[in-house]
Amino acid sequence: MAELDELDQKILAALSADSSTSTSRLSRRFKVARSTVQARIERLERSGVIAGYTVKLGQEMTLRRIRATVLLQVEPRTTPGVLQRLKAMPEVEVAHTTTGRFDLILQVAAETTQDLDSVLDRIGTITGVKSSESLIHLSTKFDRSM
C-alpha cells in the first residue's frame, strides 16, 4: 500500500464525501496545482488505495427498497461456492464472513415484500446453505457510512 501523506488523506476524504468532485475544485480547496491532485489520484488508484468510484442512492430511492439482514449457516468447506452464487444475485448488496453461530451475514434489498421473499427462497436453495435467519429492517435511526 502507498504511504499516505496529509494531502493524500485530504483528497481521499473529499472524494469519499463526493466522488464527483473535480480535480480543479480539489486543487483550489487544497491550494496545490491541478496536475498535483491528478497525479495523486492516479497514484492512489494504481496502488489500490482507491478501488473505484460509485453512486450513492438518494433517500428517495433507498426509502422505497425493503432491506433485510440475512444470517446464514453453511456446510463446512462450501463457503466459496455459496459466495459465488450469492455474488450473482444483485439483491445481495453485502456479504460478510463472521464468527459465532452463523457463517455469513448478508445485506439484501428488494423492491417489494414479494421480491424479498423470492430472494430469501433462492438463497435457501443454494447448495451448502444449512439454515438462515432473516431480519427485516424497519427504519434507520442513524447511519455513519453515509
Side-chain angles (χ1 to χ4, degrees):
M1 186 169 90
E3 186 69 29
L4 302 180
D5 66 11
E6 185 179 350
L7 179 58
D8 291 332
Q9 291 174 8
K10 286 179 180 179
I11 291 169
L12 286 173
L15 291 175
S16 293
D18 182 0
S19 64
S20 67
T21 305
S22 69
T23 53
S24 299
R25 178 173 283 164
L26 293 172
S27 69
R28 285 191 302 275
R29 183 183 306 169
F30 304 131
K31 297 177 179 39
V32 296
R34 192 195 64 74
S35 59
T36 300
V37 171
Q38 185 63 41
R40 295 293 185 104
I41 291 172
E42 288 171 2
R43 182 176 53 81
L44 292 167
E45 290 170 342
R46 276 192 316 275
S47 68
V49 172
I50 295 177
Y53 301 89
T54 187
V55 172
K56 189 179 347 177
L57 296 176
Q59 203 171 26
E60 179 66 29
M61 287 299 293
T62 58
L63 286 178
R64 290 189 287 165
R65 300 192 69 164
I66 299 165
R67 294 195 183 296
T69 296
V70 181
L71 308 170
L72 294 183
Q73 286 183 321
V74 299
E75 298 289 340
R77 295 179 294 285
T78 62
T79 301
V82 170
L83 285 170
Q84 186 176 6
R85 293 280 307 277
L86 291 170
K87 199 170 189 178
M89 301 173 73
E91 299 89 353
V92 178
E93 296 179 326
V94 179
H96 301 280
T97 57
T98 187
T99 61
R101 201 176 78 186
F102 294 97
D103 303 297
L104 295 171
I105 299 175
L106 311 178
Q107 180 177 307
V108 177
E111 295 296 322
T112 66
T113 55
Q114 292 83 3
D115 292 341
L116 180 60
D117 191 38
S118 173
V119 171
L120 296 175
D121 286 344
R122 289 190 347 247
I123 290 170
T125 64
I126 295 173
T127 302
V129 172
K130 195 160 64 171
S131 70
S132 68
E133 185 174 329
S134 304
L135 307 160
I136 296 175
H137 301 193
L138 298 177
S139 65
T140 301
K141 301 304 182 185
F142 68 89
D143 183 349
R144 294 189 203 287
S145 69
M146 297 183 81

